[in-house]
Amino acid sequence: MIELINITKTYNNTITAIKDISLKINDGDIFGIIGLSGAGKSTLVRCINLLEKPTSGEIIVDEQKILNINNKELLRMRKNIGTIFQNFNLLEQRTVFKNVAFPLELNGVDKNTIKEEVARLLKLVDLEDKANSYPSELSGGQKQRVAIARALANSPKYLICDEATSALDPKTTDSILKLLLEINKKFGVTIILISHDMSVIYSICNKVAVLDEAHIVEEGDVEQIFKNPQSDIAKRFIEFKRLEVK
Amino acid sequence: MAEILFSSLGETLLMTLISTFLAYVIGLPIGILLNITSKKGLIPNRPVNLIVGGIVNILRSIPCLLLIVILIPLSNLVLGKGNWSGNWSSMIIPLTFAAFGFVSRVVEQSLAEVDSGVVEAARSLGATNRQIVFKVLLPEARSSLITGLAVTTVSIIGYTAFAGNIAAGGLIAQSFNFGYYNDDSTSMWICLLFVILIVQVIQEGCLLIAKKIDKRRKI
């Protein structure tokens, strides 16, 4: 379980990116966080995957307070929280195989085990035939599959998807979401899915928090918020209308 | 003629290659330090960045010709007093000093070109800073580092001209002697032709390698 308690992040004492955010993400959840650009989603992600320290508040991962742990512990914690990104962020000079092997190399895993593990992960994301390709030779969907395999190589308990499908077309988005759902159901990986697209959230999330101007304005079961949104911003997310020019 | 030409060619190559190597031995770590301590680096540290960057700048402002004079005590210490004058080896220390500041900046720039998102991904996978430098920054920047090597080597070849001032030999000094003192422009041009050839081989060779090892999308 990941618990955020009154998380605030301020830059240069002036810009408040997120303010007083409290969230509880239970094991096995696919937890959606939705918000417009600039709402504070990226800052929130960087706090949850421990790349950035909140200005105030507390983060508790599996009953351990993590804001004051030492560097070694912090690195171990990060390995337990995988992240995939909108821009995939693959190592461009490494093959698909070597990209997935990267976290294992960092952990000092021996070569034979790496071979087996990478083969297993590439099979999971259905890219066995691309092991020797370079990222520049792959499509967006394939790149994201490599990123997913790489993130899973550490066997994390949590997986953060930071706008992971925002650069993909609808069909590819569906296949990636299906893969994420499969990872959640088969391996029990808790997923935190950040998006600005309600249809993405609705496809696979069970819970959702709506972020607006650094605050959480609404939170609950996806079905419930979809049926009966309270906040204006949530209403806007599920409303479709044709634009008109007068 | 042929004998002078080949011994000068040998001197130029030895001066250039050894100094380039040493300039990288010193300059590469400094370049890494400048990159990781910069504002957007792995461990931002303004004081360290400013001080090291300042020293590098000072060094780069001193012309190679003056470095030869300033570094006489060091040359005496390393090569033995009186042992090195009039020998190509006397240029190694000044050339190294003239180049390693340049190398630091070239390396710093190459590393800065690595996509910050990739570094972020590595951090999220629990990589240590050391692992990020050696497994992400340097390998991802390899193509740019090789192009930087070409630029550095060619600059050092240019600096070898100052060998003429201390009778340390080399093609450029020899070429000057032929043209200026002996009024032998044919020999001068033959020497220069060799310099041109070396520059071409180094520049094009490095570009070829850089292109070959670069697996990013070719534009």
Side-chain angles (χ1 to χ4, degrees):
Chain A
M1 187 170 78
I2 296 181
E3 222 180 327
L4 308 184
I5 304 168
N6 302 328
I7 294 292
T8 296
K9 176 79 193 181
T10 317
Y11 293 102
N12 302 327
N13 293 321
T14 49
I15 308 154
T16 305
I18 47 176
K19 194 169 165 59
D20 226 5
I21 289 197
S22 296
L23 277 181
K24 208 181 263 182
I25 298 158
N26 289 316
D27 290 351
D29 270 350
I30 303 187
F31 196 104
I33 297 173
I34 189 165
L36 297 170
S37 312
K41 293 183 304 244
S42 301
T43 307
L44 188 57
V45 171
R46 292 171 55 82
C47 287
I48 303 176
N49 70 10
L50 317 180
L51 290 182
E52 218 160 311
K53 251 193 175 167
T55 316
S56 65
E58 186 58 75
I59 301 178
I60 301 169
V61 180
D62 296 329
E63 277 151 31
Q64 192 185 355
K65 290 187 179 181
I66 55 112
L67 288 188
N68 289 310
I69 54 178
N70 64 32
N71 199 37
K72 212 172 159 189
E73 283 278 297
L74 182 67
L75 294 181
R76 223 185 54 203
M77 276 286 173
R78 281 187 190 152
K79 288 178 207 255
N80 201 24
I81 305 174
T83 308
I84 58 172
F85 305 85
Q86 178 171 2
N87 299 325
F88 323 119
N89 294 345
L90 298 176
L91 294 144
E92 298 277 333
Q93 308 285 20
R94 279 177 174 240
T95 60
V96 166
F97 181 96
K98 294 283 259 173
N99 261 286
V100 180
F102 179 72
L104 301 167
E105 275 176 34
L106 299 182
N107 298 343
V109 176
D110 71 272
K111 274 200 173 134
N112 285 330
T113 317
I114 287 184
K115 240 182 202 169
E116 286 168 24
E117 268 300 290
V118 175
R120 182 183 70 81
L121 289 159
L122 287 180
K123 193 173 173 202
L124 174 73
V125 299
D126 205 16
L127 279 179
E128 293 148 290
D129 53 331
K130 296 286 183 192
N132 295 318
S133 302
Y134 285 91
S136 63
E137 298 160 350
L138 303 179
S139 69
Q142 289 170 329
K143 283 183 198 175
Q144 199 57 290
R145 285 171 183 273
V146 177
I148 291 171
R150 183 176 67 175
L152 292 180
N154 273 334
S155 310
K157 191 172 163 191
Y158 305 95
L159 180 65
I160 300 179
C161 309
D162 185 5
E163 297 278 8
T165 57
S166 300
L168 305 174
D169 64 56
K171 202 176 149 206
T172 316
T173 295
D174 276 356
S175 80
I176 294 291
L177 291 176
K178 220 176 254 172
L179 177 61
L180 292 174
L181 190 62
E182 189 188 327
I183 289 163
N184 172 262
K185 295 287 175 251
K186 267 195 191 159
F187 307 106
V189 176
T190 303
I191 292 179
I192 300 146
L193 195 146
I194 286 88
S195 180
H196 61 262
D197 184 347
M198 197 58 171
S199 68
V200 167
I201 303 275
Y202 188 74
S203 305
I204 62 168
C205 295
N206 59 326
K207 294 265 183 59
V208 64
V210 182
L211 200 60
D212 187 31
E213 289 175 3
H215 294 272
I216 288 181
V217 289
E218 199 168 348
E219 190 197 338
D221 289 338
V222 168
E223 296 277 359
Q224 178 202 326
I225 287 186
F226 207 76
K227 268 189 203 135
N228 190 13
Q230 302 297 314
S231 61
D232 289 343
I233 190 82
K235 281 176 194 161
R236 263 175 64 193
F237 275 124
I238 59 172
E239 200 173 73
F240 298 95
K241 59 180 172 190
R242 288 178 64 86
L243 289 179
E244 278 173 42
V245 179
K246 277 173 191 163
Chain B
M1 170 66 203
E3 202 180 314
I4 295 175
L5 188 67
F6 283 113
S7 67
S8 302
L9 174 69
E11 285 159 0
T12 294
L13 287 177
L14 282 169
M15 277 189 253
T16 306
L17 296 179
I18 295 175
S19 315
T20 307
F21 174 75
L22 292 176
Y24 268 87
V25 169
I26 308 171
L28 186 69
I30 298 178
I32 294 171
L33 184 70
L34 285 173
N35 175 272
I36 61 175
T37 56
S38 69
K39 205 173 161 191
K40 289 189 169 171
L42 282 176
I43 37 169
N45 188 324
R46 208 171 146 75
V48 170
N49 194 270
L50 280 179
I51 291 167
V52 177
I55 294 170
V56 163
N57 289 346
I58 292 170
L59 205 67
R60 288 189 58 202
S61 2
I62 305 175
C64 182
L65 185 58
L66 282 163
L67 281 174
I68 295 176
V69 184
I70 295 167
L71 293 168
I72 285 175
L74 185 65
S75 292
N76 275 337
L77 198 73
V78 176
L79 298 165
K81 199 169 180 174
N83 286 341
W84 49 271
S85 61
N87 191 306
W88 63 269
S89 62
S90 60
M91 282 301 286
I92 296 293
I93 289 173
L95 284 177
T96 304
F97 272 76
F100 84 72
F102 183 75
V103 170
S104 315
R105 290 298 184 190
V106 171
V107 168
E108 180 193 18
Q109 192 51 45
S110 292
L111 300 186
E113 285 165 21
V114 175
D115 183 359
S116 59
V118 178
V119 175
E120 174 130 332
R123 288 184 68 210
S124 81
L125 289 164
T128 62
N129 287 336
R130 176 186 284 269
Q131 286 172 326
I132 291 177
V133 169
F134 290 103
K135 284 183 172 288
V136 180
L137 290 179
L138 290 171
E140 288 293 302
R142 62 191 185 187
S143 183
S144 171
L145 287 168
I146 297 286
T147 345
L149 175 65
V151 177
T152 307
T153 316
V154 170
S155 304
I156 291 182
I157 292 176
Y159 295 153
T160 63
F162 297 111
N165 295 70
I166 53 166
L171 277 173
I172 300 179
Q174 196 55 55
S175 166
F176 181 83
N177 290 345
F178 279 132
Y180 193 75
Y181 297 114
N182 299 358
D183 202 14
D184 178 358
S185 61
T186 316
S187 302
M188 179 186 85
W189 280 107
I190 292 173
C191 284
L192 276 183
L193 189 70
F194 273 83
V195 177
I196 293 168
L197 278 175
I198 299 173
V199 170
Q200 292 288 347
V201 167
I202 289 170
Q203 184 64 47
E204 294 307 312
C206 284
L207 279 185
L208 198 73
I209 296 169
K211 216 169 160 184
K212 191 136 197 170
I213 61 170
D214 192 0
K215 304 298 180 188
R216 289 173 297 183
R217 195 181 297 279
K218 307 286 187 288
I219 302 163

